[in-house]
Amino acid sequence: MKVYYKNLIKAYSGEFDDLIYCYNPRLKCYYARRYTPRRQTPQNQLYTDIAKNMKELSPSSGYRQDLTNYVNAYNSMREYRDHPLNNWYNAFTKLMWNMAKTYSLNGSPLTENSTPIDLAILTREDIIENNLPCRTVKQAVEAGLLPEVPGYEYYNNEL
């Protein structure tokens, strides 16, 4: 939920009365959410494993810069103004989840007989060996994993 202050305190963030307050500089607004500890369920554990594995992929600094440039171009477009991306990692996770939904492990589109990509065990070697479209931002846009933005053809740095 968005928070509006009568007397704005620019540096305020943190916890108060079971709410967590934070400021998003890209969106220029404050948010508040209720603090709820996560329950341990198999689905939550799967998401935890996927998030840890995507962090272990550790994209190169050039790839991260390409994603940052992509996010800036994406957010500047009028049609995407209502659903902005906050940072490069937000774009990276969107790219990876879209790839898992549409591609098989051998790099071809997903069919009934093919093996889907498991993000919890995907490695850099799998990506390079199978020439998956997440190798560069340009390939991801051309494969339809991310929406097209102006200048995407210059984002050629490898994962």
Side-chain angles (χ1 to χ4, degrees):
M1 119 179 95
K2 286 188 180 179
V3 177
Y4 298 98
Y5 293 107
K6 184 174 181 182
N7 298 318
L8 181 63
I9 305 169
K10 282 242 179 214
Y12 185 72
S13 66
E15 295 181 34
F16 184 72
D17 288 340
D18 293 332
L19 287 176
I20 297 174
Y21 296 91
C22 59
Y23 177 72
N24 187 329
R26 182 177 289 277
L27 303 178
K28 296 182 176 73
C29 62
Y30 287 89
Y31 288 95
R33 66 178 175 86
R34 188 172 355 143
Y35 175 74
T36 54
R38 302 287 180 227
R39 293 183 306 209
Q40 289 296 332
T41 64
Q43 190 66 26
N44 285 350
Q45 188 58 45
L46 175 64
Y47 282 124
T48 301
D49 295 342
I50 289 171
K52 284 180 183 176
N53 190 43
M54 282 202 284
K55 191 168 187 140
E56 286 176 8
L57 288 176
S58 63
S60 68
S61 61
Y63 189 82
R64 289 193 309 256
Q65 185 60 48
D66 283 351
L67 281 172
T68 301
N69 295 340
Y70 176 85
V71 166
N72 292 334
Y74 177 90
N75 289 340
S76 68
M77 294 181 68
R78 181 170 295 200
E79 57 264 26
Y80 305 128
R81 195 169 291 159
D82 292 336
H83 303 286
L85 295 171
N86 288 328
N87 52 35
W88 72 268
Y89 191 74
N90 191 238
F92 181 64
T93 55
K94 182 176 183 171
L95 177 152
M96 296 301 278
W97 280 101
N98 286 341
M99 184 181 68
K101 281 191 256 181
T102 56
Y103 281 87
S104 65
L105 192 55
N106 63 3
S108 62
L110 195 59
T111 61
E112 293 177 15
N113 307 358
S114 58
T115 306
I117 295 173
D118 185 6
L119 293 177
I121 59 171
L122 185 68
T123 62
R124 290 176 77 93
E125 291 76 30
D126 292 336
I127 293 169
I128 293 168
E129 179 182 309
N130 297 314
N131 198 21
L132 294 175
C134 67
R135 283 181 71 166
T136 65
V137 177
K138 177 185 175 187
Q139 287 178 349
V141 171
E142 290 172 348
L145 301 178
L146 292 172
E148 189 174 318
V149 297
Y152 78 89
E153 44 292 316
Y154 301 110
Y155 304 145
N156 289 321
N157 289 311
E158 296 246 342
L159 182 71

